[in-house]
Amino acid sequence: MDLTANRIHTLSLTTKQNLKELDDLVTIKAYISSNLPPEILPLKDTISFTLNQYDQFGGAKVKVIYKDPQKNEEVKSEAQSLGIAPIQFSSIKSDQYQVVQGYFGLGIFYAGSQEVIPALQEINNLEYRLTAAISNLKKSELPMIGITTGSGEINLNQAIR
C-alpha cells in the first residue's frame, strides 16, 4: 500500500499498460555494487522497490536480475561491455572522507535489443526512464524524419557549413 502524497511507490497507468502489451520477455539487469556507502543505500532501496514492482506487475513477462560486478569478473566484463562503468561515491565515515568505487546502472533487454542506463544518478524519474526504454525496445520500426524545401526553410547544405 502506497501512502505517500504523490503515490511515488505506485506504477503509473502508462507503465502498467506498457507491461501488459509486452509480446516477449523483458529482462532488467541491475548492476549494483554491494559495498556502496551508507548515503547511497536509500537510493538503492528505492531502485530495488521500483524494480520489484516491475517484476510483480509484469508477471512472467518481466524478469529482474541483480548482479554485483565487483564480486565477479565475468559480470564486471558484462557490465563494461554494456557501457556501465564504475562510479566514484564520496562518503564521510568516522570523520574521514572516503571515496568508494562501485557500479550503479541498469541494462534493459527485450527481443534481442537492449537499452542501458549506465549511471543511476537521478532516480526521481526512474519509472519514466525504464518505461521509455521498454517502449523504445518494443518499436519494430524507427520513426522517419522528413525534410522539406521550397517554403523558405534554411538549405541543409548551407546549415551544415
Side-chain angles (χ1 to χ4, degrees):
M1 180 179 277
D2 186 356
L3 299 176
T4 59
N6 295 328
R7 298 178 50 88
I8 60 172
H9 297 298
T10 302
L11 294 179
S12 70
L13 293 175
T14 302
T15 295
K16 290 178 181 179
Q17 187 63 35
N18 269 328
L19 294 176
K20 281 182 185 178
E21 294 172 355
L22 291 173
D23 296 336
D24 201 351
L25 174 69
V26 169
T27 303
I28 302 171
K29 294 182 182 180
Y31 297 92
I32 299 176
S33 299
S34 57
N35 69 333
L36 296 172
E39 296 86 359
I40 303 298
L41 294 180
L43 298 176
K44 182 180 175 182
D45 291 343
T46 300
I47 291 166
S48 295
F49 187 83
T50 300
L51 293 178
N52 288 337
Q53 283 191 315
Y54 274 78
D55 192 29
Q56 288 174 356
F57 192 84
K61 295 180 181 178
V62 176
K63 182 178 183 181
V64 177
I65 301 170
Y66 294 91
K67 295 185 169 202
D68 186 347
Q70 291 181 311
K71 290 188 175 181
N72 184 318
E73 282 299 317
E74 191 175 309
V75 173
K76 182 178 188 176
S77 183
E78 180 182 324
Q80 289 177 343
S81 73
L82 292 170
I84 299 173
I87 301 171
Q88 290 188 345
F89 299 97
S90 56
S91 175
I92 298 176
K93 192 174 189 179
S94 302
D95 294 333
Q96 289 184 340
Y97 179 77
Q98 293 180 325
V99 176
V100 177
Q101 205 171 46
Y103 290 82
F104 210 54
L106 297 176
I108 301 102
F109 305 87
Y110 179 78
S113 298
Q114 65 189 30
E115 288 264 338
V116 178
I117 302 173
L120 293 165
Q121 296 170 337
E122 182 67 42
I123 64 163
N124 291 340
N125 62 353
L126 178 61
E127 180 186 352
Y128 172 80
R129 291 178 72 188
L130 277 170
T131 301
I134 292 168
S135 182
N136 286 338
L137 291 172
K138 285 176 22 181
K139 292 179 184 174
S140 58
E141 293 181 12
L142 293 175
M144 295 182 70
I145 298 174
I147 300 173
T148 63
T149 59
S151 299
E153 298 90 356
I154 296 174
N155 185 334
L156 286 180
N157 292 330
Q158 292 173 343
I160 294 174
R161 292 183 195 160

